[in-house]
Amino acid sequence: MLDIKIERTTAAKTKPDYDKLGFGNYYTDHMFLMNYTKGIGWHDARIVPYGPLSLDPATMVFHYAQEMFEGLKAYYTPEGKIQLFRPQKNIERMNNTNRRMCIPEIDPEDALQAIRAVVEMDKDWIPKEEGKSLYIRPFIIATDVHLGVHPSKTYLFAIILCPVAAYYAAGINPVKIFIEREYVRAVRGGTGFAKVGGNYASSLIGQEKAEKMGYAQVLWLDGVEHKYIDEVGAMNVFFVIDGKVITPALSEGNILPGVTRASCIELLKSKGIPVEERKLSIDEVLDAYKNGTLNEAFGTGTAAVISPIGELNDGETVMTLNDGNIGPISQMLYDNLTGIQWGKLEDTLGWTVPVC
Ligand SMILES: *Cc1c(COP(=O)(O)O)cnc(C)c1O
């Protein structure tokens, strides 16, 4: 159990217009902070007024990117309860990322306590309107003031909160995707399975290239052969070919183990829909398209939940999926996941965790 010291704000912010929230634009009144010092461990757990961090310019995270982050949401149920969706999975992944990044692990119970405490503190910020939620962003940064490449001896763990609207105004919206054959997101032995800023920094160029051509996101291929499907934008990706649902396996270490991904696989299996976790080449996708057996494709992630792919551009072939409409499997997954998350469907799989 953490002993969390609480310093309440004396200047509560005016809440934004909840009809114009967007995503990632507004932050609540408080944040959780905790420090790590080698030889002492994690210490000084506290909730303090939200505000800037003061860091020396030589702080290691600025130069060598030793950091990690997580992302999950808190939801208001119709009964007025506040719940989290599978937070233990995020915490387990946080510690997997920490091990890869030489960042000290955090006791899973302590991490959950910290998340619940700060969410409860700012619970009046959680939107109650349909499709809106409170995005929770835990992150850890290396804080040694030192130029030199080795793991830091001190760290800061922070949790900030952000009221957000549904990612797409229409709830669920097919997007246009460009198949990226030049740049890659992750390589075997690299940090693809870890949730770290560095992965995002190196993906920006591909994203920008796609946007210039009028595409929303990039479909990444593997870093070795540029042949196998990796992820779509910052989401996991699924293809429905001839009634079977296929998603890249986690075994090569280049795929981020999404909580939404895992939940989709479990939901599909519970409904008797065949799911395969395996290597899927872009050629297999193109062949399926030509044969008329490419039924659907979609991305999965906490922010957008399910993001159907309406168009896939290979440079030569432009594949239109489902006439640019939402496919039945995408829709079923979206309805079931959001139903459980917002407490409108019975949580038969035991996925939700109450905050208060
Ligand atoms: C966070 C993330 C995902 C989705 O994970 P969820 O737990 O479902 O939100 C997928 N890919 C990348 C690269 C990510 O960073």
Side-chain angles (χ1 to χ4, degrees):
M1 275 284 277
L2 293 173
D3 174 22
I4 305 176
K5 297 227 161 46
I6 293 177
E7 183 197 335
R8 276 175 198 280
T9 182
T10 51
K13 298 181 206 172
T14 311
K15 302 246 181 1
D17 180 350
Y18 272 43
D19 289 332
K20 298 188 183 114
L21 277 181
F23 201 99
N25 297 320
Y26 303 100
Y27 297 88
T28 65
D29 281 322
H30 298 90
M31 60 184 175
F32 175 88
L33 298 177
M34 178 163 75
N35 295 87
Y36 178 91
T37 307
K38 197 171 177 180
I40 298 174
W42 290 102
H43 60 89
D44 284 295
R46 59 206 185 272
I47 291 174
V48 295
Y50 185 93
L53 303 171
S54 174
L55 295 167
D56 189 286
T59 301
M60 276 170 64
V61 65
F62 294 142
H63 306 275
Y64 311 116
Q66 194 195 6
E67 69 94 46
M68 65 79 52
F69 68 93
E70 266 302 328
L72 67 163
K73 285 173 172 174
Y75 310 83
Y76 246 113
T77 71
E79 295 85 45
K81 286 196 214 118
I82 299 161
Q83 61 187 26
L84 305 170
F85 184 72
R86 312 187 81 181
Q88 295 92 340
K89 300 263 303 172
N90 293 87
I91 292 167
E92 187 190 319
R93 183 171 69 192
M94 173 180 78
N95 280 329
N96 287 339
T97 301
N98 286 347
R99 278 193 290 278
R100 176 64 177 82
M101 301 304 286
C102 299
I103 294 172
E105 292 178 42
I106 297 181
D107 181 287
E109 300 278 323
D110 290 353
L112 185 58
Q113 185 195 346
I115 291 169
R116 288 165 100 162
V118 70
V119 169
E120 183 166 11
M121 181 84 177
D122 279 346
K123 64 174 188 245
D124 58 328
W125 282 82
I126 307 176
K128 294 196 173 83
E129 298 86 358
E130 167 112 38
K132 294 176 187 160
S133 56
L134 186 75
Y135 187 75
I136 305 167
R137 166 54 57 88
F139 63 100
I140 304 173
I141 56 172
T143 51
D144 275 9
V145 176
H146 183 69
L147 296 184
V149 182
H150 58 75
S152 183
K153 296 183 183 69
T154 62
Y155 297 87
L156 178 70
F157 174 49
I159 305 172
I160 56 173
L161 309 170
C162 174
V164 296
Y167 208 73
Y168 300 110
I172 180 170
N173 194 26
V175 290
K176 289 168 70 176
I177 303 294
F178 185 79
I179 302 170
E180 175 56 60
R181 290 192 181 260
E182 180 186 5
Y183 302 111
V184 298
R185 193 194 73 86
V187 293
R188 199 176 306 160
T191 53
F193 71 91
K195 213 163 171 78
V196 298
N199 289 347
Y200 283 76
S202 60
S203 77
L204 295 174
I205 191 165
Q207 171 72 22
E208 202 171 64
K209 187 172 138 190
E211 273 173 22
K212 274 194 194 126
M213 291 185 289
Y215 285 78
Q217 294 281 1
V218 174
L219 181 72
W220 300 105
L221 302 180
D222 77 279
V224 180
E225 293 174 76
H226 294 215
K227 181 174 164 191
Y228 296 101
I229 309 287
D230 180 274
E231 295 199 38
V232 62
M235 288 180 285
N236 295 115
V237 68
F238 288 72
F239 287 83
V240 186
I241 297 178
D242 207 11
K244 279 199 210 91
V245 185
I246 306 161
T247 192
L250 301 178
S251 48
E252 309 250 316
N254 54 318
I255 304 293
L256 197 291
V259 178
T260 321
R261 174 190 181 278
S263 305
C264 286
I265 293 171
E266 288 172 56
L267 269 176
L268 289 161
K269 287 186 175 163
S270 77
K271 294 190 184 295
I273 299 168
V275 194
E276 293 175 5
E277 291 179 73
R278 62 166 170 89
K279 276 186 159 180
L280 172 64
S281 69
I282 187 66
D283 292 338
E284 188 179 340
V285 170
L286 279 160
D287 284 346
Y289 179 74
K290 283 173 198 149
N291 300 337
T293 53
L294 179 56
N295 311 130
E296 290 179 49
F298 52 91
T300 68
T302 297
V305 193
I306 301 290
S307 193
I309 298 174
E311 182 182 316
L312 259 179
N313 184 338
D314 180 36
E316 292 155 24
T317 318
V318 177
M319 300 176 254
T320 303
L321 277 70
N322 239 314
D323 294 323
N325 295 318
I326 299 155
I329 290 187
S330 310
Q331 187 73 56
M332 181 280 284
L333 289 170
Y334 183 81
D335 292 344
N336 276 275
L337 284 173
T338 56
I340 295 169
Q341 287 165 339
W342 273 275
K344 288 175 191 157
L345 287 182
E346 198 194 339
D347 176 19
T348 52
L349 295 151
W351 282 345
T352 59
V353 171
V355 171
C356 52

